[in-house]
Amino acid sequence: MALRRIVLHPDPRLKKAATPVASVTDDLRRLADDMLETMYDAPGIGLAAPQVAVMDRLLVMDCAKEDDATPEPMVLINPEVVWTSEDRNVYEEGCLSIPDHYAEVERPKEVEVTWMGLDGKTQCERFDGLWATCVQHEIDHLDGKLFIDYLKPLKRQMITRKMQKLKREMARG
Ligand code: ZN
């Protein structure tokens, strides 16, 4: 396993829709392993392939967040939301591609998602709470959408300007 470099906003790769995965290959398994390691190392609770510069529809997540919780790593290939609850929920979201910026985002409280597992089999599960927010945030990444796209333009522009400045500073070393 290896850590992958996380793509930081603003970057055209974070604005592009990812491509459906045709089949589970060794490369894809390696990608999923690397993404889980990168996510835990960050640390974060979710990571989508475009965030490590791979334009495949794959995401990893683990929202079993408490310190003593047993890890529950999940790998979702070609995930699709097939049902959303009318009830909505507000969470303060962050993103590994937009470090140190957080904002409240409202989304459906529960969602049902289908996906292909690493075993190639189709799975379907209903998510609630933080898991529901996380899976929607990550699926958005696969469609080229970021959580700041839900914010008012002024706030979004402020975050983007700060990120541009951060990237300039990082480039200068
Ligand atoms: Zn994110």
Side-chain angles (χ1 to χ4, degrees), residues 46 51 94-97 137-138 141 146-147:
Q51 292 181 276
C95 181
L96 294 178
S97 293
H137 175 121
E138 300 310 328
H141 273 302
L146 301 170
F147 84 93

Side-chain angles (χ1 to χ4, degrees), residues 2 9 27 71 85 87 104 107 111 130 154-156 170:
H9 169 73
D27 273 354
S85 65
D87 278 3
E104 289 191 335
R107 300 180 187 271
V111 287
L130 183 59
L154 210 63
K155 171 111 189 187
R156 181 166 64 242
M170 286 169 68

Side-chain angles (χ1 to χ4, degrees), residues 57-84:
R57 295 189 76 83
L58 181 149
L59 67 86
V60 299
M61 62 176 183
D62 185 348
C63 300
K65 223 177 138 218
E66 296 80 36
D67 289 343
D68 56 347
T70 313
E72 289 180 51
M74 293 191 78
V75 177
L76 282 68
I77 302 162
N78 301 334
E80 244 181 276
V81 175
V82 293
W83 174 86
T84 58

